[in-house]
Amino acid sequence: AKDMAESIRLNMQSNVGIGITGVAGPDTIEGKDVGTVHTGISIDGTVAAYTSHYSGSRESIRRLAAMESLLNLTRLLANKYSI
C-alpha cells in the first residue's frame, strides 16, 4: 500500500497519493482474514501506513476503507499544515 501510494503520487505528478489493498471478501487470501485492509498515504514523498480490520459485506468493507483513508489524509494534512 505504501508503494502504491508513492507510485500514484509520482505517476500523477501530485502532492498526494493513496494506495489501498487488502481482502474485501468473500474468501480469505494468502492467510489474511476478510476485512483486513492496508492503506498507504504519500504526501510530498513522506509515506504513512495503516492497517485496519472491518466486518460486513465486500462493498461495505471497500466503502469503509475508502472513508477511513480520506479521514487519515485529512488528519495528516491538518497536522502538516496546522489547519
Side-chain angles (χ1 to χ4, degrees):
K2 289 168 59 174
D3 290 342
M4 291 168 62
E6 183 65 2
S7 180
I8 193 68
R9 185 187 70 78
L10 293 171
N11 286 327
M12 299 305 293
Q13 299 177 358
S14 174
N15 296 88
V16 175
I18 298 176
I20 303 171
T21 188
V23 185
D27 299 318
T28 299
I29 297 175
E30 297 175 3
K32 294 186 176 140
D33 293 330
V34 172
T36 302
V37 176
H38 303 283
T39 304
I41 300 175
S42 174
I43 302 175
D44 295 327
T46 300
V47 184
Y50 304 90
T51 299
S52 302
H53 301 278
Y54 305 107
S55 61
S57 68
R58 178 178 174 82
E59 185 59 33
S60 67
I61 291 169
R62 293 174 73 189
R63 185 174 292 122
L64 288 167
M67 289 189 315
E68 186 174 24
S69 296
L70 293 174
L71 178 60
N72 286 330
L73 172 62
T74 301
R75 288 179 178 147
L76 289 170
L77 290 172
N79 289 335
K80 182 176 177 80
Y81 298 106
S82 300
I83 298 174

